[in-house]
Amino acid sequence: MEQILKALLAVVIGVAAAVAYFYGSNKLLDLIFPSQTKDPADGARNLRVSGMIRPWLFLGPALLSLGVYLVYPVVASVWYSLHGASGDTYVGLANYRWMFGDSEFRQSMFNNMLWLIFVPALSTFFGLIIAWLTDRIWWGSFAKMMIFMPMAISFVGASVIWKFVYDYRGEGSEQIGILNAIVVAMGGEPHVWIAMPFWNNFFLMVILLWIQTGFAMVLLSAALRGIPEETIEAAVIDGANGVQIFFKIMIPQIYNTIAVVWTTITIIVLKIFDIVLAMTNGQWDTQVLANLMFDWMFRGGGDFGRGATIAIVIMVLVIPIMVWNIRNARKEMEGR
Amino acid sequence: MYSHKKSPLVWFSHITVLVLVVLWTIPTFGLLVTSLRDKDQIVASGWWTSLATSTQNLIYRTPGEAGQTEEGGLYINTGNALEDGAGKVSRFGTSSLSPEEYEVGQTVDLDDGMQLTVEENGDYRLTSPEPFGRRGERIFVTAEIPPRFTLENYRNVLTAEGIGQSFLNSLTVAIPSTIIPVLVAAYAAYALSWMKFPFRNLLLAIVVGLLVVPLQMSLIPLLKMYNYIGQTFDVPAKTYVGIWLAHMGFGLPLAIYLLRNYIAGLPRELMESARVDGANDFTIFNKIILPLSYPALASFAIFQFLWTWNDLLVATVFLGNSEQTIVLTARLRELLGSRGGNWEILTASAFVSIIVPLIVFFALQRYLVRGLLAGSVKGG
C-alpha cells in the first residue's frame, strides 16, 4: 500500500515537473519578448526572436534525453571497447583480437546467423499466409486476435510457457510436456529438447517466431487490403486462379511492407537475449551475441571492455538497416 | 473481395487457419490450466487430461492415534479418503500389491480384528479393538475424479514467492515510464512538424536512425555513468528515477517518430487560422494539437507500457535484483533457475506476469494495431 502511494506520488511529481517545465519556459519567453508592445516594430522583432527560440524549448528535454541515453553511449562504447576490463587502461585492439579468437564468440555468431536466416523469413511467411487466409473467412478477425496475442507476452513469460511445452520426464514416467507427450503417443522416444546441441537453437527460435508472427500478420494484412481491387479483378477476368493471383499479383504490390516487416524482425533477432537467458543461459551451444555481452558485463566482476566490443558488433550489424530506414523516411517526407 | 462460394480454397482456409490458431493458443492455454491444478496432479499427468474425468489410484493414510475416537471399546478413525474432494470411488484395498481388492460399500475384515468400510463418496470408517499406532493405515482407492481446479498456487506465489511485491515493483517502473515520455515526445514531435528552425531535417534523420540503435550499446556507458553519479553525490546508483529516465531515453525515438507522423498529417489550416487569431505555438499545441492527437498518444502509450512492463534487460541493469525492487520478469527468470521443476509455482507466477499485458492487449487492441501501422506503413 505504501509503495502504491509512493509510486503515485512519483508519477504526479514526474508529470508535474514535465508540465511545469513546458509551461514555465514558454511563459518566461513571452515575458522577455512580449509581442504586444507600444511600438509595433518592437513587437514584430520580439515575435521573430521568440519564434527562433521556442522550438528549442519544445525540443530541449527530448534532445537531452536522446543525447544522454542513445548518442553518447554509442561513442562511449567505442571508447570502452579500446580499454581494459574496468575501462581505465588503454589496450588498443586487444579486445577485438580476443573476440575473434574466442570460440564462444564464434559460436554466438553462428547461432545469430541461424536466427537471422530463419526467424524473419518464417515469421513473414506465416504472417503472410495467415493474413491472406483470414481475409476470406467469417471468423478471421478472431483468428487474427489469437495469433496476435503473444505479442503482449514478455519474452520471459513466453520462455516459461514454452519450457513447459518442452518439458522432459525420464523414461517410464508420464510426460507432462505436451511435445514429448505427442512424440511418445506417436511411438517415439522422449527427448530433452533444449539440451540437444544445434537443434535446440530451433526450439528457442520457435518462441520468437510465436511472438513475432502476429506483428508480421497485422502489417501484411493492412498491406493486402490496400491493394487496388482492379488489379485483382483484371487477373480474375484473365482466368488466373487464387494461388496465381496471390503470387503474381498481390506479392509484388506489397514488397515494400514485406521489407519493413523483415527488417523490423531482423533487428529484434539481433538483440535477442531474454529467451536464451531464461531457457538455457547459453548452455548446450545456444549462446547468442546479446546474451554473451550481458554475460561479460557481470562475469568475473564484469569486463566492460569485452562487453562493449560485443555490443559494437551488434551495432555494426544494425547499421545497414539504419541507413536503409533513414533513406526511406527521407523519401516519405519529400512525398509530403 | 471474393465471391463467397464454397470453393475448395475456402475450406482449405478454414482448416489451415484453425490449425494455426490452435497451435498458437495451446501453449498459453496449457500454462493457464496448469496454474489452476493441484501441485501433485501437475506432475502426475499432463494438463490436457485434467479437463476430463479421469480414473486415478490414490493413496490415503489414516490419522492413526492422533485422530481416533473411542466408542464402546472400539477405537475409530473416520474421514474421507478423497480428502473431501469430488469423486466416485469404485474399488479400494489396503495393500500396494492389490490396491483394487474390494468392492466399494462393503465392510472388510483386516488383521488384528480391524474392520474397514469405504463408501462411494470416499467416506471411510476404520475400527479396531486396540488403540491405533502412531502411523495410520494406508487405504488405496480407485476413483473417478472429475476435473478439479484450485487457486492455491496463486495464493502461494502472491505471498510466499514474493510475486505480489514484484507486481507492485513492475507497476512502479511501468506507469511513470509510460506517461512522461509521451508528454516530452509530443512537444518534440510538434516542433519537428510545424516549427521552422535550422537542422530540422537532420534532427529528424537522427531520430529515425536512433530507432534501431540496440539497447546493448547503451548499457555499459550508462551503468558506468550511474555508478559515477552515485559515488560523486553519495546517492544510490540503482533507483526508480534512474530507470524511468532510461526507459524515457530508449522509448523516445519511436515516440517522436510515431507522433510526428501523426501531427504532420494534421491539416495546415488549423494552425494558420489560430495564428491569425494571435495564438502562438504554445497555445496552438495545448489547445488544438494535444486534444486532436489522443489516438496517436494512446497508441504509443500502449507500446511503451507493454515494453516497460515486459522488459528484463533494462530492469536488471539499472534497478538490480534486490528483494525490494526486483520486477516480475526478473523474478520469473530467477524462479526458472531456482524452482526449475516446480511447475505449480512457475505457471502461476508466469500467468500473474502476463495477465496485465493481456488485459491491455484485449482492451486496447485497436490502438495497438493503429500504432503498428502508423509506425511502419505509409499512410496507415
Side-chain angles (χ1 to χ4, degrees):
Chain A
M1 195 63 228
E2 187 197 351
Q3 208 196 347
I4 298 174
L5 285 175
K6 262 195 201 155
L8 272 176
L9 189 69
V11 173
V12 171
I13 290 173
V15 174
V19 171
Y21 161 79
F22 286 115
Y23 191 82
S25 63
N26 278 286
K27 281 284 170 257
L28 196 66
L29 190 68
D30 291 337
L31 274 178
I32 299 171
F33 299 106
S35 55
Q36 308 296 331
T37 48
K38 287 192 188 110
D39 181 0
D42 273 352
R45 199 196 62 228
N46 281 348
L47 203 60
R48 221 178 31 249
V49 174
S50 68
M52 269 160 63
I53 298 174
R54 203 183 300 275
W56 301 105
L57 293 183
F58 275 35
L59 283 164
L63 290 184
L64 187 72
S65 189
L66 289 174
V68 171
Y69 284 91
L70 290 166
V71 180
Y72 154 76
V74 172
V75 181
S77 284
V78 175
W79 191 85
Y80 279 117
S81 75
L82 301 172
H83 289 71
S86 58
D88 307 327
T89 40
Y90 178 78
V91 295
L93 293 176
N95 285 323
Y96 291 88
R97 267 198 297 277
W98 158 81
M99 189 173 71
F100 288 116
D102 186 48
S103 64
E104 226 184 336
F105 171 76
R106 278 190 293 223
Q107 174 79 56
S108 306
M109 277 300 265
F110 174 76
N111 290 341
N112 260 105
M113 281 300 141
L114 284 181
W115 282 78
L116 282 174
I117 293 165
F118 288 99
V119 177
L122 289 174
S123 307
T124 312
F125 172 76
F126 277 115
L128 191 56
I129 295 292
I130 295 165
W132 180 55
L133 292 178
T134 46
D135 258 349
R136 55 185 64 233
I137 52 180
W138 55 267
W139 51 285
S141 58
F142 169 78
K144 275 192 197 153
M145 190 166 76
M146 285 335 237
I147 304 264
F148 191 38
M149 185 192 72
M151 266 221 85
I153 296 173
S154 64
F155 285 161
V156 186
S159 298
V160 176
I161 291 174
W162 283 89
K163 205 161 189 167
F164 191 50
V165 169
Y166 296 148
D167 187 78
Y168 168 82
R169 299 276 137 159
E171 287 287 328
S173 57
E174 198 167 342
Q175 296 295 340
I176 61 170
I178 195 162
L179 183 62
N180 271 324
I182 291 169
V183 167
V184 170
M186 300 255 195
E189 295 279 303
H191 288 285
V192 190
W193 304 110
I194 56 172
M196 302 164 70
F198 184 70
W199 298 110
N200 51 11
N201 281 307
F202 294 90
F203 290 110
L204 299 193
M205 283 180 215
V206 164
I207 303 174
L208 191 58
L209 179 66
W210 181 70
I211 292 174
Q212 291 301 331
T213 296
F215 162 76
M217 174 199 74
V218 166
L219 258 60
L220 294 165
S221 184
L224 286 176
R225 291 224 178 100
I227 294 176
E229 294 262 342
E230 297 79 22
T231 55
I232 294 162
E233 279 162 19
V236 171
I237 290 165
D238 287 347
N241 62 31
V243 176
Q244 278 175 319
I245 289 175
F246 182 64
F247 283 105
K248 297 224 166 89
I249 312 291
M250 289 177 156
I251 298 264
Q253 294 193 64
I254 57 167
Y255 267 147
N256 204 3
T257 307
I258 291 179
V260 168
V261 169
W262 198 288
T263 50
T264 308
I265 297 177
T266 298
I267 288 184
I268 291 168
V269 167
L270 278 172
K271 298 192 284 188
I272 194 65
F273 141 86
D274 322 42
I275 292 178
V276 176
L277 181 76
M279 294 292 280
T280 61
N281 198 6
Q283 290 166 292
W284 308 297
D285 302 346
T286 52
Q287 191 64 289
V288 289
L289 288 175
N291 194 43
L292 186 65
M293 184 240 157
F294 181 79
D295 211 29
W296 275 108
M297 269 180 79
F298 300 106
R299 196 191 290 186
D303 187 328
F304 284 180
R306 288 179 178 184
T309 312
I310 298 164
I312 299 276
V313 173
I314 300 174
M315 183 73 207
V316 168
L317 292 171
V318 166
I319 284 174
I321 296 174
M322 200 178 198
V323 173
W324 184 79
N325 263 356
I326 294 174
R327 270 234 207 86
N328 271 5
R330 280 245 149 113
K331 262 189 228 152
E332 235 177 83
M333 281 164 203
E334 281 160 19
R336 280 190 199 279
Chain B
M1 193 160 158
Y2 304 96
S3 56
H4 276 271
K5 55 179 193 291
K6 285 270 179 278
S7 64
L9 191 60
V10 174
W11 283 115
F12 170 77
S13 306
H14 276 291
I15 291 160
T16 315
V17 173
L18 184 66
V19 168
L20 287 167
V21 167
V22 168
L23 272 180
W24 248 256
T25 45
I26 279 253
T28 319
F29 185 65
L31 181 91
L32 172 63
V33 170
T34 303
S35 70
L36 294 168
R37 291 179 78 198
D38 180 80
K39 69 169 188 277
D40 300 330
Q41 293 191 329
I42 290 174
V43 289
S45 60
W47 60 264
W48 51 93
T49 62
S50 70
L51 303 169
T53 301
S54 59
T55 305
Q56 294 178 9
N57 297 316
L58 304 168
I59 305 172
Y60 176 84
R61 190 179 280 282
T62 63
E65 94 186 320
Q68 68 188 19
T69 51
E70 200 192 338
E71 218 175 279
L74 278 180
Y75 292 90
I76 303 166
N77 266 177
T78 58
N80 186 294
L82 297 178
E83 297 179 9
D84 291 321
K88 221 172 110 187
V89 179
S90 54
R91 302 193 69 84
F92 69 100
T94 52
S95 94
S96 54
L97 299 173
S98 48
E100 302 189 3
E101 199 171 352
Y102 311 110
E103 187 74 39
V104 73
Q106 56 177 268
T107 305
V108 294
D109 293 321
L110 310 173
D111 314 342
D112 309 329
M114 289 197 288
Q115 288 188 317
L116 172 65
T117 314
V118 179
E119 301 298 339
E120 203 172 61
N121 67 354
D123 286 345
Y124 72 89
R125 180 185 160 96
L126 179 66
T127 61
S128 163
E130 302 294 319
F132 290 107
R134 293 258 326 272
R135 303 181 63 207
E137 300 294 317
R138 285 191 303 174
I139 303 177
F140 295 83
V141 293
T142 304
E144 297 283 313
I145 306 281
R148 227 200 265 181
F149 296 104
T150 165
L151 288 172
E152 193 53 44
N153 302 330
Y154 286 93
R155 255 197 298 280
N156 182 10
V157 297
L158 285 175
T159 51
E161 299 292 337
I163 290 288
Q165 173 71 37
S166 291
F167 188 89
L168 288 179
N169 294 344
S170 279
L171 276 180
T172 312
V173 169
I175 293 173
S177 301
T178 303
I179 297 176
I180 302 169
V182 168
L183 198 66
V184 170
Y187 277 98
Y190 175 76
L192 289 170
S193 310
W194 296 107
M195 291 169 124
K196 288 196 172 50
F197 57 93
F199 309 122
R200 195 173 88 168
N201 285 343
L202 176 70
L203 280 179
L204 260 174
I206 289 174
V207 168
V208 172
L210 290 177
L211 274 173
V212 298
V213 168
L215 257 180
Q216 278 75 14
M217 291 296 288
S218 301
L219 297 179
I220 288 176
L222 289 173
L223 192 61
K224 285 287 265 192
M225 188 165 81
Y226 275 40
N227 288 339
Y228 175 76
I229 290 172
Q231 277 163 8
T232 315
F233 298 102
D234 202 27
V235 288
K238 300 194 170 187
T239 58
Y240 282 119
V241 178
I243 197 173
W244 294 336
L245 290 173
H247 272 312
M248 173 161 104
F250 301 140
L252 271 178
L254 181 68
I256 296 174
Y257 180 70
L258 274 181
L259 296 177
R260 192 217 156 255
N261 278 355
Y262 184 87
I263 291 173
L266 293 172
R268 180 181 293 276
E269 294 77 27
L270 277 176
M271 333 289 157
E272 281 175 355
S273 57
R275 239 183 270 279
V276 170
D277 292 342
N280 65 23
D281 279 311
F282 187 63
T283 321
I284 292 174
F285 178 84
N286 288 337
K287 293 266 182 342
I288 300 172
I289 305 293
L290 213 48
L292 280 176
S293 305
Y294 275 137
L297 296 177
S299 289
F300 170 73
I302 293 164
F303 270 113
Q304 181 75 354
F305 180 81
L306 290 180
W307 155 248
T308 50
W309 178 274
N310 288 338
D311 149 81
L312 170 69
L313 188 55
V314 178
T316 307
V317 174
F318 293 112
L319 202 56
N321 285 344
S322 76
E323 192 56 35
Q324 274 70 46
T325 56
I326 188 168
V327 294
L328 268 175
T329 45
R331 172 85 69 179
L332 200 53
R333 190 214 137 203
E334 276 193 357
L335 289 175
L336 265 173
S338 62
R339 300 300 203 100
N342 299 39
W343 284 112
E344 76 281 2
I345 288 173
L346 284 177
T347 52
S349 306
F351 213 82
V352 170
S353 84
I354 66 178
I355 193 79
V356 172
L358 284 185
I359 290 170
V360 169
F361 172 81
F362 284 117
L364 304 166
Q365 206 198 149
R366 191 177 311 142
Y367 289 103
L368 192 69
V369 170
R370 202 182 289 177
L372 274 183
L373 297 178
S376 42
V377 181
K378 201 172 125 183

